[in-house]
Amino acid sequence: MNEHRPVLTEDRTQDAVVIVPGIMGSELYDTVTQRTVWGLSGVSWLIRAWTRPQGLEPLRLTPGERSGEVGRIKAVRLMRHSSWTPYLQGLEPYTELAETVRQCVAHPAAVLEFPYDWRLPAAFNGKLLAEAARSHLSAWRAHPAHDEARRNRVDERPARLVFVAHSMGGLVTRAALDPGHDGELAADTRAVLTLGTPFHGAVKATAILNTGRGAPVPLPHRQLQSVAAGMPGLHDLLPHYACLIDGDTVRTLAPEDVAALGGDAELARAAAESHRRLTGVALPGHRAVAGTQQTTLQSLALRDGVAELHCHGVRQHSSGDFIRDARGRLRFFDVKGDGTVYKESAAVGPAVTPLPLQHGAVASDRVALKAVAEMLRDDQHLGPPQGAPGCGLEVPDLVEARAPWPVVLSGVDSLSGVRCTVAPANAPDTAGGGAQQLRLGWGDGRVRATATLPAPGLYRVAVRTLDGHTVTQLVLAEGLDGARD
């Protein structure tokens, strides 16, 4: 008697997927000098780029580029290596995200990775994305594997688009869905998943522009400020909500405020206008992943050109009035976020998955990747395991090798089951060989540790809590005799 066994078919979507990285998430190539100017592998390149006085000069926009003469810089591919930048700190590669997407589609041809020149405005890159997405959908619908995939789905419908966007990539995706580019693109889009996208901006962008005002800062931070001051892409990340504390009220940043911070008033004005125009653009089937539990800038005060940055912000009643105490003073609230984007800026839309992650890891964490897979396969969006708060992680972005520096955890009630390690970023497993386990203790009501790194390089700090969550952050260590100008 023959035994009949069921034939199992893998659950793979018939849709076309577009992966859109965040700021600094695309490798950039200078077509004039024929050199890669951002995204090379190797810690030595990373340290040279940030510690040499002219290390980032190729990223500076030329007058011609400011006028619209683009083409000198070409976006080659998504970042394949861990990287680092001041303030934005660790940038994890997109390899795991891309692999997760490929496991959920019917054929590799269904996936488009969309690198872009993140120095330029999100609206400019959005137009390019709209054109690329339309071409990608048409090509995939004509692919032989498309019809086979349709036959394995319940509705047997033709493919539609799914955008998976990290950070600034969500703003580029929103710009792509502007009906002025392609009036049918939104209708041909099934879903948009954003991972840590600052829909209302991020106060940390003001910190980048204000670098060096009022106090000396390390060379890498000054270099970032210098190139960012004329970078439209960075101005697109400025906060567009009431975040500037002005006496007994709070208001939005004006172009002259941005100029006082160290930015460009013209670029700020253009970014604000673009934000107003695109706010009404709907994201079909939008689901957002928002980082939580991490100490995050949310407001600022501006005094004589120097920003006073705060990890709290105001809230408004349904009437629009700010919440105040009995004496009429503003009340401030700390809602935290992912260390770069505060929660209420990323948690936009009817379906939000909160995860205790740093910004650079929102697109690489295993739980976030599970949410991506569930959405692509069009199953019920279950979100993260309930009751898993994780913890907050605070570390410096730049440290000296062989010199001690602090690690601070928040949201931890007990040391039981908490493990904190630091290891080279290219180590295959931070819990395995090469990882240094840090000794944790209590101080000022929070869990603290002291770390010392043996040599210059890029390192990953990882904290695993009893609830099973792992929070990570990248740290760049330079030599004690590192370059200074």
Side-chain angles (χ1 to χ4, degrees):
M1 182 172 132
N2 293 329
E3 182 180 357
H4 297 284
R5 296 183 179 180
V7 177
L8 297 181
T9 302
E10 291 183 291
D11 187 14
R12 294 176 181 260
T13 180
Q14 77 270 44
D15 288 322
V17 183
V18 183
I19 303 174
V20 191
I23 189 169
M24 293 187 164
S26 302
E27 182 179 309
L28 302 183
Y29 179 78
D30 190 321
T31 60
V32 176
T33 63
Q34 297 185 345
R35 297 180 61 184
T36 298
V37 296
W38 179 259
L40 284 173
S41 63
V43 173
S44 60
W45 168 83
L46 191 62
I47 293 178
R48 286 197 305 271
W50 288 108
T51 59
R52 288 182 177 178
Q54 301 298 314
L56 298 183
E57 194 61 26
L59 296 179
R60 188 184 303 278
L61 264 73
T62 65
E65 288 172 323
R66 285 285 299 267
S67 302
E69 299 174 6
V70 298
R72 175 180 71 92
I73 297 295
K74 179 181 179 181
V76 178
R77 59 182 180 180
L78 273 57
M79 292 288 286
R80 294 293 191 271
H81 315 281
S82 298
S83 190
W84 176 91
T85 181
Y87 295 111
L88 299 177
Q89 300 180 318
L91 304 172
E92 298 286 7
Y94 291 102
T95 48
E96 292 186 19
L97 175 61
E99 180 58 29
T100 295
V101 171
R102 284 192 289 268
Q103 291 175 0
C104 298
V105 297
H107 189 276
V111 182
L112 171 66
E113 298 181 6
F114 181 77
Y116 59 91
D117 184 352
W118 36 263
R119 306 173 309 142
L120 303 178
F124 173 85
N125 286 312
K127 183 176 185 298
L128 298 180
L129 175 57
E131 296 170 354
R134 171 58 65 193
S135 296
H136 176 55
L137 180 61
S138 297
W140 170 239
R141 284 177 171 175
H143 195 282
H146 171 251
D147 285 339
E148 176 66 24
R150 288 177 60 186
R151 287 194 289 270
N152 292 326
R153 307 301 287 179
V154 174
D155 53 14
E156 297 186 81
R157 62 170 173 78
R160 299 171 70 191
L161 287 164
V162 176
F163 293 91
V164 179
H166 176 230
S167 189
M168 185 182 187
L171 304 182
V172 174
T173 299
R174 183 176 64 179
L177 291 167
D178 183 343
H181 299 320
D182 183 334
E184 301 300 320
L185 194 64
D188 283 331
T189 299
R190 173 170 71 83
V192 176
L193 178 63
T194 57
L195 307 162
T197 291
F199 286 103
H200 300 299
V203 168
K204 186 168 278 190
T206 68
I208 293 173
L209 294 178
N210 201 234
T211 295
R213 300 202 172 194
V217 294
L219 176 61
H221 298 67
R222 294 201 306 276
Q223 290 201 126
L224 179 60
Q225 189 281 331
S226 179
V227 298
M231 190 181 291
L234 191 281
H235 287 71
D236 277 331
L237 302 180
L238 289 168
H240 301 291
Y241 61 94
C243 65
L244 182 61
I245 303 171
D246 189 359
D248 65 346
T249 189
V250 182
R251 60 180 177 83
T252 57
L253 286 171
E256 54 269 24
D257 298 319
V258 176
L261 283 164
D264 186 292
E266 180 183 345
L267 294 180
R269 189 174 292 108
E273 175 57 34
S274 178
H275 174 76
R276 283 191 291 270
R277 181 170 55 83
L278 295 172
T279 295
V281 174
L283 299 179
H286 182 209
R287 295 166 182 169
V289 173
T292 61
Q293 294 286 358
Q294 314 306 311
T295 300
T296 306
L297 297 176
Q298 297 157 57
S299 65
L300 73 153
L302 185 58
R303 309 190 192 285
D304 299 323
V306 179
E308 298 176 0
L309 304 167
H310 304 290
C311 295
H312 56 240
V314 294
R315 282 182 172 173
Q316 295 170 285
H317 293 289
S318 57
S319 64
D321 296 328
F322 292 119
I323 298 177
R324 298 177 181 269
D325 64 17
R327 298 175 61 183
R329 296 174 300 189
L330 289 168
R331 288 189 179 274
F332 292 92
F333 303 84
D334 180 7
V335 300
K336 298 188 182 296
D338 64 18
T340 294
V341 181
Y342 95 113
K343 185 181 71 174
E344 293 180 1
S345 185
V348 173
V352 177
T353 298
L355 294 175
L357 300 172
Q358 287 276 349
H359 185 72
V362 172
S364 60
D365 178 78
R366 61 180 179 83
V367 181
L369 295 179
K370 181 179 179 181
V372 171
E374 291 292 337
M375 184 271 289
L376 288 177
R377 291 181 172 125
D378 206 17
D379 289 335
Q380 182 181 1
H381 185 62
L382 303 177
Q386 298 301 305
C391 71
L393 171 62
E394 299 174 43
V395 298
D397 55 3
L398 180 67
V399 301
E400 297 280 4
R402 299 178 294 279
W405 46 276
V407 176
V408 181
L409 310 185
S410 58
V412 178
D413 297 325
S414 170
L415 296 181
S416 176
V418 180
R419 176 184 172 87
C420 182
T421 59
V422 58
N426 60 358
D429 183 357
T430 56
Q436 173 192 164
Q437 183 167 348
L438 302 183
R439 183 177 180 180
L440 300 172
W442 290 96
D444 298 327
R446 297 204 289 179
V447 177
R448 299 175 180 272
T450 299
T452 304
L453 299 175
L458 187 64
Y459 294 82
R460 180 180 290 104
V461 181
V463 181
R464 184 170 180 82
T465 49
L466 186 61
D467 52 41
H469 272 294
T470 299
V471 183
T472 64
Q473 180 62 62
L474 295 175
V475 177
L476 184 68
E478 62 175 350
L480 288 168
D481 56 350
R484 290 281 188 266
D485 65 348

